[in-house]
Amino acid sequence: MRPRSPYKVFRVVALVVVVLSLTAPLLWMIAASFKTNVDIYDTGKALAFSPTLDNYATVLQQANYVQFIGNSLWVAFAATVASLILGVPAAYSMSRFNMRKSALVVLMARVIPGVSLLVPWYYVFSNLKMVGGFGVLILSHMFVSLPLIVYIMMGYFDGLPAELEEAALVDGLTHIGAFRRITLPLSVPGVATAGILSFIFSWNNFMFALVLSDAHTKTLPVAIFDFVGYASIDWGGLMAAATVVTLPIMVIALFVQKYVVSGLTAGATKG
């Protein structure tokens, strides 16, 4: 067998270092969720410790986390569905009818930090008596999800051959009929990609829910801070709560990663 070249050895070492640096905080978080607060502070028990499920019992039974999980699921699902219903036809219109000025507005909305709009949002929605409800959370998440979906789907529609729709128009279909019967079925991978990314954003969003929710509508990222007090921090409960937030998205990402990659690259390779 030929010896490995120095470049290949360096590439393997660099890959291992990068993987370990990215996964080490996650592995520490999961391990700490099974420790008591005493064991977390004891450096001698970094690897050898007696695991406990008390932290998860505190999270799931005493902190109403089942309700917060339901809140996160509802807000993420509703914001994603509403953004897809509005964003996919909008992206199709901008792509097929060359609406570049509208596309520029969408791009500007995409790059504007949503945090910069929190104060105006709070002022407007508080006057409308909407702060603390699910509606304002869904609308705030749509502000970021909708431009993201339009941005992804415009690239996807640009890559689809327009000749298919032209043939449908010759056969008597309208533009809406051609979109519904021809283009939309072909764009399912792109729609799935945009929907998955939108759902992940809504699930992980913290700042919007922190400002615009109340005790009954707050989502999981906000509920994590129930374990942070002024005098002390319940590190075991905090790590267990963070694991509950993180693991569902990681599982979803592992199962749908090939669809996300194919959806993001399909628009660049078709046509």
Side-chain angles (χ1 to χ4, degrees):
M1 297 179 61
R2 293 183 300 175
R4 292 187 176 182
S5 64
Y7 171 74
K8 291 183 177 179
V9 174
F10 172 78
R11 186 173 61 180
V12 172
V13 173
L15 181 62
V16 172
V17 171
V18 170
V19 171
L20 289 178
S21 62
L22 293 176
T23 58
L26 178 64
L27 295 176
W28 182 87
M29 178 185 71
I30 296 174
S33 68
F34 292 99
K35 297 180 181 180
T36 63
N37 287 330
V38 176
D39 290 342
I40 291 175
Y41 284 105
D42 189 351
T43 57
K45 295 184 178 180
L47 298 177
F49 61 93
S50 300
T52 178
L53 295 176
D54 292 343
N55 296 323
Y56 288 96
T58 301
V59 168
L60 297 177
Q61 296 177 8
Q62 301 179 17
N64 295 327
Y65 260 68
V66 175
Q67 175 187 349
F68 301 146
I69 292 173
N71 293 345
S72 293
L73 287 174
W74 167 239
V75 172
F77 177 78
T80 298
V81 172
S83 298
L84 287 174
I85 292 174
L86 297 176
V88 173
Y92 173 76
S93 300
M94 294 178 190
S95 173
R96 286 294 184 259
F97 301 106
N98 199 27
M99 302 169 63
R100 297 305 173 188
K101 292 183 179 179
S102 299
L104 179 60
V105 173
V106 173
L107 181 60
M108 292 178 60
R110 179 72 183 91
V111 300
I112 292 176
V115 177
S116 63
L117 300 176
L118 273 177
V119 173
W121 278 349
Y122 184 82
Y123 177 78
V124 172
F125 289 127
S126 62
N127 288 332
L128 295 175
K129 308 299 182 182
M130 294 179 62
V131 173
F134 286 111
V136 66
L137 290 177
I138 294 171
L139 289 174
S140 64
H141 286 202
M142 286 178 61
F143 177 80
V144 178
S145 298
L146 188 56
L148 174 65
I149 289 173
V150 173
Y151 184 76
I152 293 174
M153 293 308 301
M154 278 187 63
Y156 197 91
F157 288 135
D158 287 341
L160 292 178
E163 291 79 6
L164 295 175
E165 299 171 31
E166 293 173 357
L169 295 175
V170 171
D171 290 338
L173 289 178
T174 62
H175 283 287
I176 296 177
F179 168 74
R180 183 170 58 87
R181 298 187 181 184
I182 304 298
T183 308
L184 189 58
L186 292 175
S187 62
V188 169
V191 173
T193 300
I196 291 168
L197 294 178
S198 173
F199 184 89
I200 291 175
F201 160 77
S202 295
W203 180 271
N204 292 330
N205 185 273
F206 168 75
M207 189 61 66
F208 295 167
L210 178 65
V211 176
L212 300 174
S213 65
D214 61 13
H216 301 288
T217 60
K218 64 182 177 181
T219 56
L220 277 177
V222 179
I224 289 178
F225 275 79
D226 290 342
F227 296 93
V228 179
Y230 290 105
S232 63
I233 299 177
D234 182 5
W235 285 107
L238 183 63
M239 294 300 103
T243 303
V244 171
V245 174
T246 305
L247 285 185
I249 292 300
M250 291 187 60
V251 173
I252 292 175
L254 289 175
F255 279 101
V256 303
Q257 60 177 335
K258 62 178 181 180
Y259 302 105
V260 172
V261 173
S262 63
L264 289 174
T265 57
T269 58
K270 292 184 179 181

